[in-house]
């Protein structure tokens, strides 16, 4: 069984009930995706599966078979950042940074689905991603900027 | 407490949900069951208006969750699919159902608003809803080529993964009343009996 992770075909060699998060971190060594609550309530482990935001801690590998998985490592590189990553830097979003790979993946999914979300839609889409540092205003500023309502 | 339970068990007192089996008389002969399409519908109404069903069968934009029917956390609503998420972002297709992990079933989605079962619905309204061809159409029936009919509804209650889940939602969650098998049997009894509606 095969899934595509960050553009590469990957053979699945673990129990299909294994949480996708552990397959990514332990087998593929893609440690940019973090473990938070383990019960899909904090959003830290958010990745993209077929362009939709997914909580990798609660979704088994089985649900990713044949699908396109994208983690924070696959969004951009240091020399070619994803626009969301650029906006995150511009607005100095991260503080401790632990939740930010999940925040960015949720933001990417939102903008892919709706390139110009309203402020309410930004609140709604990002509501499941918690940040103990309280970077929410800066996350909102970055997304407002990406939606074409930049506040500098 | 243990002794009381043992005495009640010895006396044949059942703690299970509604029993639909024919009962025996004291003489041991089988007696005619009191079940009828009308009484079957009463049980169906009680089950269908349980939070385990009405949580998702809502006309609201926001699904409910839990035994108290509270609004779904994280501002989840029907439009979440337009914002880069889906129900299956958290609700897995398989695996053990243990709270507080998000419940899982083969598919997870909200029924259309026209299939809502509001808490205020009356038995007559529920019956009319189930017999209305514009609302008793099910995607599961579409998959197997069924038309808009009560048979389609039976197929839904019998084979839909989410309906089955509601009777076995897993550790830490309150299940819909009775068993899924009893629910299906009652549904068939009501349909086969002409699907009478209460006045």
């Amino acid at each position: 069984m095969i899934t595509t992770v960050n553009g590469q075909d990957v053979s699945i060699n673990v129990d299909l009930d294994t949480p996708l998060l552990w397959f990514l971190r332990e087998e593929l060594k893609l440690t940019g995706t973090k473990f938070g609550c383990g019960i899909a309530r904090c959003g830290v482990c958010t990745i993209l599966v077929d362009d939709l935001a997914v909580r990798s801690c609660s979704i088994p590998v089985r649900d990713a078979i044949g699908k396109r998985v994208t983690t924070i490592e696959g969004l951009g590189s240091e020399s070619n950042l994803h626009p969301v990553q650029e906006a995150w830097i511009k607005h100095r979003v991260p503080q401790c940074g632990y939740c930010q790979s999940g925040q960015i993946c949720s933001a990417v999914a939102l903008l892919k689905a709706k390139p110009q979300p309203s402020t309410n839609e930004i609140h709604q889409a990002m509501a499941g991603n918690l940040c103990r540092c309280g970077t929410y205003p800066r996350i909102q500023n970055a997304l407002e900027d990406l939606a074409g309502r930049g506040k500098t | 407490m243990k002794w009381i339970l043992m005495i009640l068990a010895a006396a044949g007192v059942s703690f299970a949900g509604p029993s639909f089996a024919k009962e025996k008389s004291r003489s041991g002969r089988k007696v005619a069951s009191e079940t009828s399409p009308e009484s079957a519908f009463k049980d169906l109404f009680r089950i269908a208006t349980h939070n385990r069903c009405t949580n998702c069968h809502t006309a609201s934009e926001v699904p409910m969750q839990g035994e108290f029917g509270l609004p779904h956390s994280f501002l989840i609503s029907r439009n979440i699919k337009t914002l880069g998420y889906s129900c299956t972002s958290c609700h897995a297709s398989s695996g053990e159902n243990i709270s507080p992990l998000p419940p899982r079933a083969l598919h997870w989605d909200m029924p259309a608003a026209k299939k809502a079962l509001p808490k205020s619905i009356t038995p007559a309204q529920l019956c009319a809803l189930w017999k209305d061809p514009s609302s008793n159409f099910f995607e599961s029936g579409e998959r197997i080529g069924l038309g808009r009919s009560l048979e389609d509804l039976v197929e839904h209650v019998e084979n839909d993964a989410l309906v089955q889940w509601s009777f076995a939602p897993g550790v830490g969650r309150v299940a819909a009343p009775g068993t899924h098998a009893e629910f299906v049997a009652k549904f068939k009894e009501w349909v086969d009996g002409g699907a009478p509606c209460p006045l």
Side-chain angles (χ1 to χ4, degrees), chain B residues 83-171:
Chain B
L83 303 177
Y85 272 87
S86 79
C87 297
T88 54
S89 291
C90 299
H91 295 277
S93 69
S94 62
E96 282 193 82
N97 266 298
I98 302 175
S99 179
L101 270 170
R104 37 188 73 190
L106 191 56
H107 72 92
W108 204 276
D109 208 347
M110 272 185 85
K114 66 164 65 170
K115 297 170 186 170
L117 303 170
K119 285 307 229 180
S120 58
I121 198 167
T122 65
Q125 288 169 333
L126 176 65
C127 193
L129 179 78
W130 278 350
K131 294 174 76 170
D132 177 1
S134 72
S135 65
N136 69 7
F137 177 60
F138 287 88
E139 294 74 11
S140 53
E142 186 178 40
R143 282 199 298 275
I144 62 173
L146 290 173
R148 299 180 182 208
S149 65
L150 284 172
E151 283 68 33
D152 206 2
L153 194 53
V154 171
E155 145 68 18
H156 170 67
V157 301
E158 186 166 24
N159 296 319
D160 186 90
L162 265 177
V163 175
Q164 293 172 353
W165 171 86
S166 64
F167 290 90
V171 178

Side-chain angles (χ1 to χ4, degrees), chain A residues 11-126:
Chain A
S11 294
I12 298 173
N13 55 356
V14 295
D15 186 318
L16 295 182
D17 287 330
T18 305
L20 191 49
L21 174 64
W22 298 124
F23 178 63
L24 296 170
R25 286 183 59 88
E26 301 298 325
E27 301 297 321
L28 305 184
K29 307 302 180 190
L30 295 170
T31 55
T33 306
K34 307 301 184 192
F35 173 80
C37 64
I39 53 173
R41 296 195 70 84
C42 75
V44 163
C45 67
T46 305
I47 59 167
L48 301 169
V49 176
D50 286 351
D51 293 331
L52 288 176
V54 163
R55 303 284 188 257
S56 62
C57 73
S58 71
I59 298 298
V61 171
R62 184 191 313 278
D63 287 4
I65 295 172
K67 295 186 176 175
R68 192 161 34 86
V69 175
T70 307
T71 67
I72 189 73
E73 291 91 343
L75 284 180
S77 63
E78 282 192 39
S79 58
N80 185 26
L81 292 173
H82 188 282
V84 172
Q85 292 171 314
E86 288 180 343
W88 248 237
I89 292 171
K90 176 182 174 184
H91 289 273
R92 301 182 181 185
V93 172
Q95 188 162 314
C96 86
Y98 194 78
C99 70
Q100 295 299 328
S101 63
Q103 302 279 5
I104 288 172
C105 285
S106 282
V108 169
L110 167 63
L111 295 168
K112 181 86 175 177
K114 182 159 275 194
Q116 292 185 302
S118 67
T119 299
N120 279 343
E121 287 168 337
I122 290 172
H123 288 168
Q124 193 184 347
M126 303 301 292

